[in-house]
Amino acid sequence: MATVCVKSVLISESVDPCCKTILQENGIEVTEKHPMSKEELMAEIQKYDGLVVRSATKVTADVINAGSKLKVIGRAGTGVDNVDVDAATKRGIIVMNTPNGNTISAAELTCALIMSLSRHIPQAAMSMKDGKWDRKKFMGTELYGKVLGIVGLGRIGKEVATRMQSFGMRTIGYDPITPPDVSAGWGVEQMSLEQLWPQCDYITVHTPLMPATTGLLNDDSFAKCKKGVKVVNCARGGIIDEAALLRALESGQCGGAGLDVFVEEPPKDRTLLNHPNAISCPHLGASTKEAQARCGRDIALQIVDVVRGKALVGAVNAQVLAGTFSPGSHQWIRLGESLGGVLKACAASKAPYSHVHVTSLGECLKMSTGFLSSAAVVGLLSESPQNGPNLVNAVPLAAETGITVKTSHEESGVRAACAVEVWMNSIRYKAVGSVQAGVPVLLELNESVFRQPVPLSGHLIFFKATTSSELLLSVTGVLAAAGVEPESFSASTAASGDQWYCMGLSSLLPDIGALTSLVKEVVQLTV
């Protein structure tokens, strides 16, 4: 895959020591600084290629833009609510988390809160500490035979389900992504939320926080539930509307709440926390030695793997890179960028691009269309190799500038190749290339098929002219007068008409205008 160079990483929160050790063992310099204010982080982040955080550090757009060297942001935990992923994507920064690191710990805490709600364990313990012996006040209920509704049937939801089934609970659930037959395999019957609310004795939520899940449990939802339903949130603050939950607790519509997360952390308004039927924890879902070690280890290994080009795990905004780890993919990325560069040179004097169409050809490139299109857009938009988009942000940046990028794949028995077409209003340019013997080559430019594939490296000059016996002699004369030596030449297979030609040069022609009287179009570039 394309190299992601990470030489230094800042760890801005308390992460398990194994994270630092693994990064250092793989040649990455690590600095630990915490806690830091936003201003301190913005000043510090300028020095580093990578940033590792947990949940407390708010990686805002301001922080991301201050990190001029940033290549990767790693969240040692599940979710990336505290990272502005859109801002990172625009900068071409990979954002990753550790989706499996705290699964067991979060599931166990959820189960503990469900059990605590059923038997009033925290309240009874506090009563004992106050010197009381009040058995009647803390009459509980069995979990056996009760219905547990699980909203969100991902990794944590699944683990909660299997554990609570051992108590004899019936588990039902809702998830718009997990297929019903999959969840049925681990004992959860899926249904709509409208069907789920009135059946539940307990409800636990395990979804990400996003517009569709914000306030998922609200006044209307509580009104549809059984009176006395108990709810648990170990996912993200805001999935349960806190004001609606307080009203439901006060009316008795909700019989108890187990909360590990809040909209504001730590909460300044303590009204909900102080309700006698609310059990609260200070965001302890991932606070086990095992989860912290797992998350620290996982994020370090994920960063090392992406730097070494071995694998991409846990990335939330760089799916296009997933196909870049196959053997030889680096040369195809170079091909896409080079084709984009050739078309950029051809279209330099034309109107801005309106749309781009990238087609992968051949069975072996079926899974490569995504990174080929991104690579082509990188070539089209780059001003210089050091200053331009990368595979992560190329297509989003193109969309921002009004360029429509379309991708497709064709098999039809053809050899592996990539075709890139660019439109500037009614003007169209097309380049077709492939990789031969590990070298990216140009096969065709605007329907002119080259007799010899053009290696896409070094200094190249392309010119369009009517075929004639004097053409080559005249062009080489201009080059010689400028002290430029031709190193290779490829002509079109056509015998007549306007065709494209390519020469490899010892250096670029100082004044390309010297050829304009001999040819109809001429461009040069360094690949």
Side-chain angles (χ1 to χ4, degrees):
M1 66 165 284
T3 303
V4 179
C5 183
V6 177
K7 296 181 179 179
S8 58
V9 167
L10 172 66
I11 299 177
S12 66
E13 295 184 55
S14 178
V15 177
D16 192 90
C18 70
C19 178
K20 180 178 181 179
T21 300
I22 291 170
L23 292 173
Q24 289 177 328
E25 286 175 347
N26 286 275
I28 298 173
E29 296 180 9
V30 180
T31 300
E32 289 186 281
K33 281 194 175 183
H34 51 83
M36 283 187 286
S37 66
K38 177 182 175 181
E39 291 70 25
E40 291 171 331
L41 179 59
M42 288 176 63
E44 186 71 20
I45 196 61
Q46 301 172 33
K47 310 172 188 175
Y48 301 94
D49 305 308
L51 173 65
V52 172
V53 302
R54 286 180 61 194
S55 59
T57 303
K58 305 305 177 188
V59 190
T60 63
D62 289 339
V63 172
I64 289 167
N65 291 329
S68 55
K69 295 172 60 181
L70 271 181
K71 307 294 191 308
V72 61
I73 298 170
R75 157 87 160 94
T78 301
V80 286
D81 303 17
N82 55 319
V83 180
D84 189 329
V85 177
D86 289 338
T89 302
K90 287 179 183 178
R91 285 280 318 282
I93 299 167
I94 299 171
V95 179
M96 56 175 61
N97 65 0
T98 54
N100 298 309
N102 63 2
T103 296
I104 299 300
S105 294
E108 289 182 352
L109 180 61
T110 300
C111 298
L113 287 175
I114 292 172
M115 289 185 278
S116 294
L117 287 172
S118 74
R119 302 303 295 269
H120 310 293
I121 296 170
Q123 296 93 328
M126 289 302 298
S127 174
M128 289 289 286
K129 289 180 184 293
D130 288 341
K132 300 176 182 177
W133 183 269
D134 199 340
R135 298 177 66 190
K136 293 182 180 180
K137 183 177 180 180
F138 301 113
M139 180 66 66
T141 58
E142 291 183 351
L143 295 174
Y144 182 81
K146 302 300 189 297
V147 177
L148 172 62
I150 305 171
V151 181
L153 298 170
R155 292 176 298 273
I156 297 173
K158 175 185 177 181
E159 296 297 334
V160 170
T162 56
R163 282 157 177 74
M164 298 318 296
Q165 287 161 11
S166 67
F167 283 84
M169 297 192 85
R170 175 187 169 220
T171 50
I172 62 177
Y174 168 79
D175 192 299
I177 298 174
T178 303
D181 58 328
V182 172
S183 62
W186 22 275
V188 178
E189 177 189 354
Q190 280 205 52
M191 59 190 66
S192 69
L193 291 173
E194 294 299 309
Q195 294 171 307
L196 181 141
W197 301 134
Q199 297 189 49
C200 297
D201 299 296
Y202 295 80
I203 297 171
T204 179
V205 293
H206 300 283
T207 71
L209 181 65
M210 51 189 180
T213 61
T214 299
L216 191 64
L217 264 168
N218 51 41
D219 288 315
D220 290 340
S221 308
F222 278 117
K224 296 170 183 175
C225 292
K226 287 181 180 180
K227 189 172 181 63
V229 66
K230 296 178 176 65
V231 298
V232 172
N233 185 5
C234 288
R236 288 291 181 266
I239 298 172
I240 299 177
D241 184 320
E242 292 177 356
L245 173 58
L246 181 59
R247 287 189 288 270
L249 286 168
E250 290 175 340
S251 70
Q253 182 63 22
C254 177
L259 304 173
D260 185 47
V261 290
F262 304 88
V263 173
E264 182 183 40
E265 295 185 356
K268 292 178 181 176
D269 184 347
R270 312 283 295 185
T271 309
L272 178 59
L273 279 67
N274 292 334
H275 193 281
N277 290 335
I279 301 169
S280 302
C281 299
H283 203 149
L284 299 179
S287 294
T288 65
K289 294 178 181 179
E290 294 84 357
Q292 289 311 299
R294 201 178 294 122
C295 288
R297 181 186 67 247
D298 287 356
I299 199 64
L301 291 174
Q302 288 170 206
I303 292 173
V304 169
D305 282 349
V306 79
V307 169
R308 290 183 169 183
K310 289 177 60 179
L312 182 71
V313 177
V316 300
N317 70 331
Q319 290 81 1
V320 67
L321 299 180
T324 64
F325 295 92
S326 58
S329 63
H330 182 65
Q331 298 306 324
W332 285 99
I333 293 169
R334 280 186 53 206
L335 172 69
E337 293 178 352
S338 300
L339 293 178
V342 169
L343 294 178
K344 175 184 173 68
C346 291
S349 62
K350 312 298 189 296
Y353 316 123
S354 57
H355 57 283
V356 178
H357 185 190
V358 180
T359 305
S360 58
L361 305 166
E363 173 67 24
C364 68
L365 293 181
K366 189 172 184 178
M367 305 304 294
S368 305
T369 308
F371 73 73
L372 283 172
S373 61
S374 293
V377 174
V378 167
L380 283 166
L381 299 184
S382 292
E383 297 300 326
S384 69
Q386 292 76 31
N387 181 27
N390 60 24
L391 296 182
V392 175
N393 65 356
V395 173
L397 287 177
E400 273 193 5
T401 58
I403 303 171
T404 301
V405 180
K406 179 183 176 183
T407 62
S408 61
H409 176 75
E410 295 178 10
E411 294 182 16
S412 63
V414 297
R415 63 181 174 179
C418 175
V420 182
E421 299 172 87
V422 178
W423 281 263
M424 294 73 60
N425 295 326
S426 59
I427 303 171
R428 167 185 168 272
Y429 282 92
K430 179 181 180 180
V432 180
S434 186
V435 174
Q436 297 183 358
V439 177
V441 296
L442 180 67
L443 304 175
E444 177 185 329
L445 181 61
N446 262 26
E447 317 307 334
S448 291
V449 179
F450 294 105
R451 287 194 183 96
Q452 296 294 328
V454 177
L456 288 169
S457 62
H459 308 296
L460 301 174
I461 189 166
F462 294 90
F463 52 92
K464 180 182 179 181
T466 303
T467 303
S468 71
S469 56
E470 297 84 14
L471 175 64
L472 184 58
L473 185 62
S474 301
V475 171
T476 53
V478 171
L479 295 175
V484 177
E485 299 179 6
E487 296 181 341
S488 62
F489 175 73
S490 188
S492 166
T493 55
S496 61
D498 291 344
Q499 299 296 329
W500 282 93
Y501 300 83
C502 179
M503 279 187 174
L505 306 177
S506 59
S507 62
L508 294 180
L509 190 62
D511 179 17
I512 198 172
L515 287 174
T516 53
S517 63
L518 301 175
V519 300
K520 296 185 177 180
E521 289 186 58
V522 59
V523 298
Q524 62 179 349
L525 72 156
T526 300
V527 180

